[in-house]
Amino acid sequence: MLPRLRGIASSAHCGQPISRPNALPAPFPARTHTCGALSVRDVGSPVVLAGWLLPERKMKTINKSFYPLKDSYGVTQLLVHGACSASLSQIPVESTVLIQGTVALRPVQAQKPGPTGAIDVLVDSVRLLNPAHPNMPFLPSNPFNLPSEELRSRYRYLDLRRSVLSQNIKQRSNVAHIIRNALHDQDFTEVETPALLRSSPEGAREFLVPARPSSSDTAPVVYALAQSPQQPKQMLICSGGVDRYFQIAKCFRDEDGRKDRQPEFTQVDLEMAFVSWGEPVDPHAPPPAWRIGGREVRDVAEDLVRRIWRAVKGIELPDAFPVLTYHDAMSRIINLSDLLPVNHTSPSDLILECIVVRRARDAAFLQASRALAPPEGTRVTLSEASRADWLMSSALAPGVGADAQSAVVQALGLRTGDDVWLSARPRRPAGGSTALGRARIQICELALARGDVVAPAEPHFLWVTEFPLFTRADADKERLAHGRWSSSHHPFTAPMWEDVEALYSGDVAGVRGQHYDLVLNGVEIGGGSVRVHDAAMQDYIFSRVLQLDDTEKAPFAQLLHALQCGAPPHGGIALGFDRIMAILCDTPSIRDVIAFPKTAAGADLLFKSPAAASDAALAEYGLAPKAKGRSAA
């Protein structure tokens, strides 16, 4: 029970007797302004404000006190004195109050930047709308004593009162409005697709939702929460009823949480009919950087991103973003095998590669490089002695002689104090990241965290294209693949037209996909592809390449039939809305731009989910409770 707040009335003019101890439900005047709306133009005007009362700031030289009053729009400073100050001082911090007063101009020397920095509100009366408990878990108005993220997650309704979070949520709404306007301007139709679908082997783990079985069901039946609207959006385009679809879609994947990943997340989802399938090769012209289809999707995505950055950041982005193929991106790491007279890796289809962190040129990254703990033999710090034999003594390069070692040192310009990271990988990139690629990211992230490196403030966008269409190098997808090929993107991605023959001839590893990722400052913010629109090709991929059995193919039957009914060539993209908002709001965690996020472990500490269901509830869905273990005798 709240303590009695003696001397505080539900409404009183300062200086009048006050008798009621707590706020009482009763009509009250409507506010005339928000706490971020007043300015010098309002000086002399009577106003009614409502908000949360923040800690008092007393003036020692004069008999006056200042109280900030905050709402979700901003902060206005209240100027109070005498009996009114005594009354306000008894109200707990973070209580909601209604203030009636007059706008006054601050002395010039006291004026501050900001919308309300030049004015105060002289308080005439105060009404307590709802007192805050004097022992709140934490005070969101105190930025200098912020509790742990776990505690703030348990009381998210208090955490959201912090200005930085409330501004992020408003910015998210603003960007969603920009997205909708931009896509409506380009004749896209917003369509909501089902969240409850059928489980299908598309890669990521799904969340299953039990449904009450019917009398004909012989086993429990479940929905799967949509990993993405992939099948519904493709069938919208196949229908011919929608030419350009979009949705700000909620998606669900049962994955381990990270700072940029949530089990439920939001993506800006697009799909378009009649997208291109690449350009014919002109032997008399240099090859274009974008050699795949889907130029129409690329143009829409770039226009959308340009509008967002112009409106939110005031930055004009280039008319076209640069393009890099996956092969070229992977080749940015140094291929040592090409510097050696013969292939010294075993087996011979591997290549030896390295990255060099140079003491002279990369000093900011050197401490981060040495702070990491790599597998044995993958990192060498060159000394005067090891410069002569570091490669010869590596188990990754058997048989390398002194001459070859010397040639590599000279070609790479290695110096004492440099770090060399070594790894072997398949000569043909297999999709996904590599050991050195992951090491390079870890070095950069650690250097940023240490403050040794400052990331560039300006945005650098990049398209990465021509990924391997199929892979055996994705550990997350191996759970479903069981040693078979899996799709690098998803099973609906089309091959490059030049590689169609290789697809049907069985050269699965050599087939490149019409898949494109959009990257911002090294972070993937979106990905998409041109889709397979030919039913025979799609069935061949399911049956012959991915080797799905009839049960695994069953969830795709409706898509295969839709493709048989005159489906147009189509393609799309999904942009990670949460990641984009985290970047725009300059925060490292997407949890700071989601109103009610989950923890890294996928738990919701506010609503206490997931939670156990009762035996009776499980029985209604045809499920049995987990058997309890027996205690030892």
Side-chain angles (χ1 to χ4, degrees), residues 53-386:
L53 191 67
L54 302 189
E56 176 186 10
R57 293 192 300 109
K58 292 184 177 180
M59 297 293 292
K60 296 181 180 179
T61 56
I62 56 176
N63 186 27
K64 294 181 180 178
S65 293
F66 296 98
Y67 287 86
L69 185 69
K70 178 187 181 300
D71 63 11
S72 64
Y73 296 94
V75 178
T76 295
Q77 182 168 269
L78 308 178
L79 177 58
V80 295
H81 54 84
C84 196
S85 178
S87 299
L88 279 171
S89 67
Q90 298 177 62
I91 298 178
V93 171
E94 299 287 350
S95 297
T96 50
V97 297
L98 186 84
I99 297 296
Q100 292 179 270
T102 305
V103 180
L105 186 67
R106 291 186 190 178
V108 174
Q109 66 273 18
Q111 294 181 9
K112 297 181 179 179
T116 63
I119 58 96
D120 292 326
V121 170
L122 301 178
V123 176
D124 297 324
S125 67
V126 56
R127 179 181 183 132
L128 177 62
L129 298 178
N130 197 5
H133 195 288
N135 296 314
M136 290 169 61
F138 67 95
L139 295 179
S141 56
N142 185 353
F144 305 108
N145 190 25
L146 205 60
S148 67
E149 184 176 20
E150 179 180 352
L151 181 64
R152 288 185 284 118
S153 296
R154 287 171 56 194
Y155 301 98
R156 185 67 170 181
Y157 45 87
L158 290 180
D159 203 27
L160 284 170
R161 199 176 293 178
R162 292 193 296 130
S163 295
V164 64
L165 289 190
S166 62
Q167 289 167 4
N168 288 352
I169 300 304
K170 285 188 176 183
Q171 189 70 278
R172 185 184 179 106
S173 174
N174 179 43
V175 174
H177 184 70
I178 294 168
I179 290 169
R180 286 191 165 93
N181 284 346
L183 294 176
H184 279 299
D185 288 348
Q186 299 195 57
D187 205 27
F188 278 79
T189 302
E190 184 172 9
V191 182
E192 295 181 3
T193 56
L196 295 173
L197 291 173
R198 178 177 178 175
S199 178
S200 61
E202 295 181 29
R205 292 180 183 271
E206 298 170 313
F207 287 102
L208 301 182
V209 180
R212 283 180 293 139
S214 66
S215 58
S216 61
D217 291 321
T218 58
V221 290
V222 297
Y223 296 104
L225 293 178
Q227 296 182 36
S228 77
Q230 189 61 46
Q231 284 199 67
K233 70 179 180 180
Q234 283 193 241
M235 285 188 282
L236 276 172
I237 303 302
C238 292
S239 74
V242 177
D243 187 80
R244 292 184 162 199
Y245 143 93
F246 89 94
Q247 182 181 189
I248 300 179
K250 185 68 76 175
C251 306
F252 307 87
R253 292 180 187 172
D254 188 7
E255 299 176 316
D256 294 334
R258 295 198 298 255
K259 65 181 181 181
D260 61 350
R261 177 184 289 177
Q262 284 270 282
E264 56 178 319
F265 58 96
T266 307
Q267 64 188 34
V268 182
D269 207 49
L270 310 175
E271 196 77 10
M272 302 169 62
F274 301 106
V275 301
S276 59
W277 249 63
E279 301 293 336
V281 176
D282 183 353
H284 304 292
W290 185 280
R291 300 185 297 190
I292 59 177
R295 285 182 174 272
E296 301 82 357
V297 179
R298 173 191 178 183
D299 290 344
V300 168
E302 289 185 353
D303 177 74
L304 184 59
V305 169
R306 277 194 294 269
R307 290 201 195 195
I308 293 171
W309 256 257
R310 181 185 303 122
V312 176
K313 293 292 191 180
I315 295 175
E316 289 293 337
L317 298 176
D319 292 337
F321 301 161
V323 180
L324 187 69
T325 68
Y326 173 80
H327 183 272
D328 287 344
M330 300 301 292
S331 300
R332 293 298 176 94
I333 294 172
I334 301 168
N335 182 346
L336 285 181
S337 293
D338 289 349
L339 300 177
L340 298 172
V342 293
N343 190 350
H344 288 279
T345 55
S346 179
S348 60
D349 62 342
L350 298 179
I351 63 171
L352 184 65
E353 59 184 9
C354 76
I355 55 175
V356 182
V357 185
R358 303 181 188 277
R359 184 179 66 175
R361 193 178 68 193
D362 306 319
F365 295 95
L366 201 58
Q367 293 304 315
S369 171
R370 293 174 182 175
L372 294 176
E376 183 69 25
T378 57
R379 184 191 64 205
V380 179
T381 297
L382 297 183
S383 63
E384 285 294 338
S386 65

